[in-house]
Amino acid sequence: MGIRFVYSLLKILFALGLGIFIFTFLLLLRNTVIAHWPDNTLPSQYRLPYEEIRFLSKDKLLLKGWLIFKNNQSPTIIICHGLGTNKSDLLSIAEFIYEAGFNVFLFDFRGHGESRGKFCSFGYLEKKDLEGVIDYISEREELRNKNIGVFGLSMSGAVAIMVAAEDTRIKAVISDSAYRDLYSSMVHHAKVFYSLPKFPVNLFLRLGYLLRFAYDPKEISPQEAIARISPRAVLIINGERDNQIPPENAYSLFERANQPKELWIIPEAGHGEGLGIYFEEYQKRVIDFFKRNLEFGEFGF
């Protein structure tokens, strides 16, 4: 009787574990498929001159973007959107950065907007997209000022940090609401949005990501990369009331970064809400940071 009971219990536990794993894996797969939302707004609606751009990611995926050209003496700021949105989502930021004297490049990550691709990896493959943007800008003759800055929001804030750590062509980084590492962020989101327990979901999420992308999410870690950005500057921003990416992520990133570094925890702000709540101060801090850390040409600003 005792052996049969133990055997039956093991079968139940195995079936339960298998069921939780299948559910977790399917949930992960579903969240990697992003609806290709069309651009709700064009730069022309902000009276911004723009050129539609087609270019390739580092792994040869066709991506689309907009170049908003100021002049050939100005640095270029790459603006990177967050998960589930597209390049039109941050045109209000593009507007004030352009008016401050910079060239601006916005683009759709793979699986978003007008770019090719069916899946999002939450940062791993998206690094190749940003690398493709930098290659494109470096090859454009009229963009003679090769001082490049990057602004990234949420997922793309993490991407900006990781790419800047490896590519010195990026001279300054602003990262708003970025996770400190993908693995802990996935586990946190599973708890916040789906009320799933940390154990064994943490193990299943890691295994599911490994099966889907053949890469360990624990290795996707802005906090391990950020120190290598120095001596180039980084500004870390986070909302004080962000329940998706709690401010502990920003504190961890800031602690790991080397100088020059800046931190702004925005009072009362949730995830990505800082711009809407403190627009004027947000605008001032972003422009001031890029002007202090990027060099203009002889006839620039």
Side-chain angles (χ1 to χ4, degrees), residues 80 130 150-152 155-165 170 173-175 229:
C80 307
L130 180 53
V150 180
F151 173 95
M155 174 193 75
S156 68
V159 172
I161 290 170
M162 292 186 288
V163 174
I170 298 176
V173 176
I174 296 178
S175 175
I229 294 177

Side-chain angles (χ1 to χ4, degrees), residues 39 43 50-55 62-68 79 87 104-109 114-115 133 136:
D39 296 318
Y50 73 103
E51 176 187 352
E52 293 187 349
I53 304 296
R54 292 169 176 256
F55 64 100
L62 179 63
L63 306 178
K64 291 189 178 182
W66 294 323
L67 173 62
I68 303 172
I79 299 179
K87 60 185 180 296
V104 179
F105 196 102
L106 302 103
F107 72 102
D108 293 323
F109 280 104
E114 297 183 302
S115 290
V133 177
Y136 178 85

Side-chain angles (χ1 to χ4, degrees), residues 69-103:
F69 182 73
K70 190 72 172 181
N71 63 65
N72 59 21
Q73 299 297 315
S74 295
T76 299
I77 307 300
I78 303 168
I79 299 179
C80 307
H81 66 79
L83 179 67
T85 62
N86 60 35
K87 60 185 180 296
S88 69
D89 192 53
L90 298 179
L91 275 170
S92 59
I93 295 177
E95 180 184 32
F96 67 69
I97 289 178
Y98 173 80
E99 290 177 349
F102 297 92
N103 302 314

Side-chain angles (χ1 to χ4, degrees), residues 23 26 36 38 42 45 64 84 89 98 122 150-151 171 183 190 202 208 227 245-246 252 264:
F23 173 78
L26 292 176
H36 282 253
L42 296 175
Q45 293 170 254
K64 291 189 178 182
D89 192 53
Y98 173 80
F122 315 122
V150 180
F151 173 95
K171 305 302 182 184
Y183 174 67
N202 57 340
I245 305 292
S252 179
W264 183 27

